Amino acid sequence: PPPPPPPFDSSDDPSLLRAASAVFAAAIESIVPGAIALGGGGSDAAARAFRCKDVRHGDYQCNAAMSLFKRLEASGSLPPGVDSPQDLARLVADAVGGMTEKENPVLCEPSVNGPGFVMCRVRSSFLEDGVNDIVRDGAPTRPRRYVGGGTDSPPSSSSSPSDNVVVVDFSSPNIAKEMHVGHLRSTIIGESVCRILEYVGMDVRRVNHVGDWGTQFGMLIQYLKEEYPDVSYGGNDDGEGDGDKGSGMPNITDLTEFYKNAKRRFDESPDFKKISQLNVVRLQAGDEECLRIWKVLCDVSRLEFEKVYRRLDISVEECGESFYNDKIPAVIDEFEMRGMISVEDGGAKCVFVPHSKVPLMLQKSDGGYGYDSTDMAAIRYRLDVLRARHLVYITDFTQADHFKMVFAAAKKIGWVTDGVHRLDHIGFGTVQGEDGKRFKTRSGDTVRLVDLLDEAVSRMESSLRERATEGRANISEDEVHETACAMGYGAVKYFDLRRNPTSNYVFSYDRMLDTKGNTAIYLLYAHARLESIVTKGKADHGIDVDAMMAGDGGKPRIVLSHKSERNLALHLRFFADSIEETLKDLFPYHICDFVYDLSIAASEFVTQCKVLGSPEMESRLLLCRATAITMRQCFDLLGIRHVMRI
Ligand code: ARG
């Protein structure tokens, strides 16, 4: 028989799911040697552990007995005395129960349920070790397993180091247009996705693919030239866009209005239209004046985008559509050389891909390049120059077909290989107002993002002040604003992140700022409450958790005696698996679910167990701290600032 799977070493792999699976695999191997290999797919697949749905029956279960019984029956190799899947399950349970703690540090109390499920508890000693590790490291144990390239394995050691590179294309607003709630979603989700990938050791390129190129610039340049005549001659031609000369930076407070006016003139005046079209040609040919005005437009927009990014702690590097302009001809040549271009009647150059009636248009009939051309040059650049193995694009769902075609064309021409590269488009749903319609202000205008964010903060400020007048605040007046920012921005982000991004959602300040329920506000309060217990432990009882954490380490100090303590420690152990779950589909809501469940377990613990002044005080304070540490790690991955006191 093939060799048994190697013993599981939980010191290098914090996944509880894999730890439990390894125990079940070892138990099955001991009964039917070779059974795991026989099942194919390694121990993970054949003896996979699942979290029990009903926690009264157990923590983890193995459902392998049923299919294994069938296989053994078919091959006539059932062990003696086994007449049913239940019999087999009972043997597996006995094997789990019979292992020493060294062989099986993870599972205990095996029992058989239903048609052959083996149900187990996680050993308290294993849970205690987990909490001790968090306390020792000051952080939850980081999963290193990366789920990429469509497979479940880390990059092979023979591959080049650039295998680590992931490009995340997010935020990506358009120059001279207002950044809207759709871009806000992309920005919030993208920032979190980047943080998660960085956390597991990926080299993440955060790319802001701003719409800074295209035919609309012809009219915008002309309009700017006519309405702000000093700009182009303002002397600020150092190209730095630093706006230091005053006249170099027009004061366009409302870009949407500016865009609308330019468009109106374009539609109404044939002369204006003609000269606008000429500007496009000039700009693309590198005309200096046009470029200078174009840069001014970019700078004005950039200032607006920055306001949002600064408020939300977003870091993203601009590499807009214009960057790819000179890379497009070579890409078209490449498609041409491979005979993949179809020329349409008007002369447009198109690429057809499987499963799509509409083609990608690499060059328009007038010779110009569009959105498709740019994205093909961009994907080429990211794969070839940045050497990315994984590309992520985050836009609203209406662009799903566009990215399907881009991915298919990249595959067809051979830039992308199945099993090596991974391409993801996260297409999120729309944001609706409370009336169920498109999100707008009361007067029907589109909502400026800066105003939207300010509103969340100012509502939070009033709620914190109200708390202060009721004498419940732990913060002083000069901390109110900063705390309100953390909570208000956190609330907006969490409200978006906590759901499956593909769903639409209704924007509601009341719901996102609710102190109860699955909101950032609830979580931030829960976290601050744990830290306030730790603070009181020191002030009133002289137990200094920081000193304990900095102490000798090693020695286990956590003792789990009460049911709710054990439950909290079990939830802490789910951390690594929740990160891995997130890496599969890149939906941060898995982390939201995790931190929400964790905080519910924590609040049960602090209501059911006396911490301050109890005989178990030391251990319980450490448990509070370990929970707070893990919550902070989650907040950080979601891009939410935490506060220690509220
Ligand atoms: N600027 C586009 C928009 O506002 C999003 C760009 C997304 N990224 C890309 N590579 N196409 O819809």
Side-chain angles (χ1 to χ4, degrees):
F8 184 79
D9 182 0
S10 67
S11 62
D12 311 324
D13 182 349
S15 164
L16 180 50
L17 208 56
R18 267 196 301 281
S21 298
V23 171
F24 287 129
I28 293 172
E29 276 294 317
S30 73
I31 303 159
V32 190
I36 297 302
L38 207 98
S43 60
D44 274 12
R48 235 169 82 94
F50 294 90
R51 285 250 301 268
C52 296
K53 290 226 172 64
D54 186 341
V55 292
R56 285 171 308 181
H57 295 148
D59 298 327
Y60 282 88
Q61 68 187 67
C62 175
N63 307 340
M66 281 77 79
S67 61
L68 184 60
F69 179 83
K70 268 194 213 135
R71 278 206 313 272
L72 296 175
E73 195 181 34
S75 62
S77 45
L78 282 170
V82 170
D83 294 319
S84 66
Q86 281 108 325
D87 290 343
L88 191 59
R90 223 160 280 129
L91 286 184
V92 175
D94 290 346
V96 171
M99 289 182 200
T100 64
E101 189 162 347
K102 197 152 181 268
E103 290 167 321
N104 161 22
V106 188
L107 299 178
C108 63
E109 298 175 29
S111 63
V112 175
N113 212 310
F117 303 123
V118 181
M119 326 288 274
C120 292
R121 291 281 168 206
V122 177
R123 288 185 195 268
S124 288
S125 53
F126 189 77
L127 298 177
E128 287 163 355
D129 287 349
V131 184
N132 282 321
D133 287 349
I134 299 172
V135 166
R136 182 198 60 213
D137 300 341
T141 311
R142 187 190 299 249
R144 284 194 189 78
R145 245 171 107 95
Y146 171 62
V147 185
T151 62
D152 195 22
S153 55
S156 69
S157 50
S158 63
S159 43
S160 68
S162 53
D163 262 4
N164 253 14
V165 177
V166 189
V167 171
V168 183
D169 176 320
F170 73 107
S171 193
S172 307
N174 301 313
I175 297 291
K177 285 191 196 165
E178 203 77 67
M179 198 172 169
H180 54 68
V181 278
H183 295 123
L184 181 66
R185 280 204 89 175
S186 175
T187 305
I188 290 171
I189 298 169
E191 175 67 30
S192 177
V193 165
C194 290
R195 289 177 182 223
I196 293 159
L197 290 167
E198 281 157 2
Y199 182 63
V200 296
M202 302 306 290
D203 177 0
V204 180
R205 307 298 159 83
R206 300 156 164 259
V207 178
N208 200 1
H209 190 87
V210 295
D212 63 355
W213 210 237
T215 47
Q216 78 272 28
F217 282 97
M219 70 178 193
L220 295 171
I221 288 172
Q222 196 54 33
Y223 189 72
L224 188 71
K225 222 162 145 177
E226 291 177 14
E227 293 296 307
Y228 301 82
D230 50 337
V231 169
S232 50
Y233 311 104
N236 183 21
D237 53 1
D238 57 2
E240 292 298 315
D242 44 13
D244 53 354
K245 310 292 193 295
S247 59
M249 190 68 104
N251 181 22
I252 306 173
T253 43
D254 193 338
L255 280 163
T256 313
E257 205 49 37
F258 180 86
Y259 193 96
K260 268 194 221 150
N261 292 338
K263 180 85 173 82
R264 192 175 311 124
R265 190 152 325 153
F266 184 87
D267 292 337
E268 286 167 1
S269 156
D271 285 346
F272 184 87
K273 188 170 175 172
K274 203 176 283 163
I275 193 159
S276 293
Q277 284 161 341
L278 207 68
N279 282 340
V280 179
V281 181
R282 283 195 192 131
L283 176 69
Q284 303 207 339
D287 175 82
E288 256 180 49
E289 193 195 15
C290 281
L291 273 174
R292 201 160 57 219
I293 305 176
W294 169 77
K295 276 207 186 97
V296 168
L297 282 165
C298 293
D299 288 342
V300 174
S301 295
R302 208 169 280 133
L303 283 180
E304 281 300 304
F305 303 159
E306 283 302 326
K307 282 183 198 159
V308 173
Y309 297 153
R310 211 168 313 124
R311 278 173 172 69
L312 295 181
D313 305 323
I314 306 299
S315 89
V316 63
E317 240 171 87
E318 186 177 319
C319 186
E321 294 179 6
S322 61
F323 176 79
Y324 303 98
N325 189 52
D326 62 3
K327 300 173 177 56
I328 294 171
V331 166
I332 297 179
D333 284 351
E334 204 176 332
F335 276 94
E336 238 154 15
M337 254 153 46
R338 304 283 301 269
M340 289 170 62
I341 297 272
S342 333
V343 181
E344 301 290 280
D345 281 349
K349 295 183 179 173
C350 295
V351 172
F352 281 90
V353 297
H355 315 297
S356 168
K357 282 202 188 80
V358 274
L360 279 166
M361 195 186 287
L362 294 193
Q363 191 161 21
K364 297 187 220 166
S365 46
D366 65 2
Y369 305 135
Y371 197 58
D372 293 357
S373 329
T374 305
D375 261 323
M376 286 320 296
I379 198 171
R380 175 83 170 111
Y381 180 82
R382 291 165 188 180
L383 293 164
D384 191 44
V385 181
L386 301 181
R387 307 209 58 77
R389 200 170 79 103
H390 185 179
L391 304 178
V392 187
Y393 295 80
I394 305 172
T395 75
D396 70 87
F397 73 100
T398 62
Q399 301 197 34
D401 287 337
H402 166 74
F403 286 107
K404 258 190 211 138
M405 287 199 286
V406 169
F407 296 169
K411 242 179 228 172
K412 197 170 162 190
I413 198 165
W415 300 340
V416 165
T417 312
D418 279 332
V420 173
H421 295 97
R422 172 174 169 181
L423 306 176
D424 287 309
H425 172 240
I426 301 179
F428 50 79
T430 34
V431 181
Q432 297 162 334
E434 293 196 72
D435 56 4
K437 298 214 192 81
R438 246 186 65 203
F439 189 57
K440 290 222 181 80
T441 62
R442 262 190 218 114
S443 58
D445 297 329
T446 49
V447 183
R448 280 184 71 213
L449 292 191
V450 175
D451 297 339
L452 176 151
L453 296 172
D454 289 349
E455 171 81 19
V457 171
S458 83
R459 287 189 188 215
M460 207 55 231
E461 275 179 359
S462 1
S463 123
L464 289 174
R465 292 220 166 83
E466 201 174 297
R467 203 174 141 86
T469 48
E470 290 163 7
R472 296 192 294 136
N474 294 315
I475 53 170
S476 62
E477 175 58 32
D478 32 304
E479 291 168 289
V480 167
H481 181 68
E482 209 174 303
T483 307
C485 285
M487 299 180 85
Y489 300 146
V492 173
K493 289 182 171 188
Y494 190 84
F495 198 63
D496 191 333
L497 294 170
R498 70 154 223 242
R499 62 195 83 235
N500 186 317
T502 57
S503 61
N504 297 343
Y505 81 85
V506 174
F507 191 95
S508 158
Y509 287 115
D510 290 337
R511 286 176 52 210
M512 69 180 68
L513 297 173
D514 198 348
T515 53
K516 294 179 288 287
N518 193 357
T519 65
I521 307 305
Y522 164 76
L523 292 169
L524 288 167
Y525 271 117
H527 167 264
R529 184 174 176 205
L530 291 170
E531 280 298 342
S532 95
I533 296 172
V534 170
T535 306
K536 285 210 187 83
K538 183 170 176 186
D540 303 348
H541 301 271
I543 297 185
D544 186 342
V545 167
D546 291 305
M548 286 167 73
M549 288 176 62
D552 56 319
K555 222 170 57 209
R557 276 170 296 198
I558 302 288
V559 182
L560 302 171
S561 47
H562 191 275
K563 201 167 103 255
S564 67
E565 278 180 294
R566 193 192 165 280
N567 183 49
L568 177 55
L570 177 65
H571 275 79
L572 286 170
R573 273 279 189 189
F574 295 151
F575 173 77
D577 286 321
S578 82
I579 302 292
E580 287 196 25
E581 200 59 28
T582 314
L583 289 171
K584 286 185 192 151
D585 53 18
L586 299 178
F587 293 165
Y589 77 83
H590 301 290
I591 295 176
C592 298
D593 287 351
F594 165 78
V595 70
Y596 181 62
D597 289 346
L598 180 67
S599 100
I600 287 177
S603 78
E604 267 167 28
F605 158 63
V606 294
T607 28
Q608 290 176 20
C609 293
K610 185 170 164 160
V611 178
L612 297 170
S614 71
E616 300 89 349
M617 177 160 49
E618 281 193 14
S619 166
R620 288 182 175 170
L621 284 172
L622 286 173
L623 185 56
C624 286
R625 175 51 70 80
T627 306
I629 288 171
T630 304
M631 290 183 82
R632 289 200 281 278
Q633 182 62 67
C634 294
F635 294 151
D636 193 50
L637 292 172
L638 298 170
I640 295 172
R641 283 178 222 159
H642 66 266
V643 286
M644 297 300 260
R645 294 176 294 148
I646 304 177

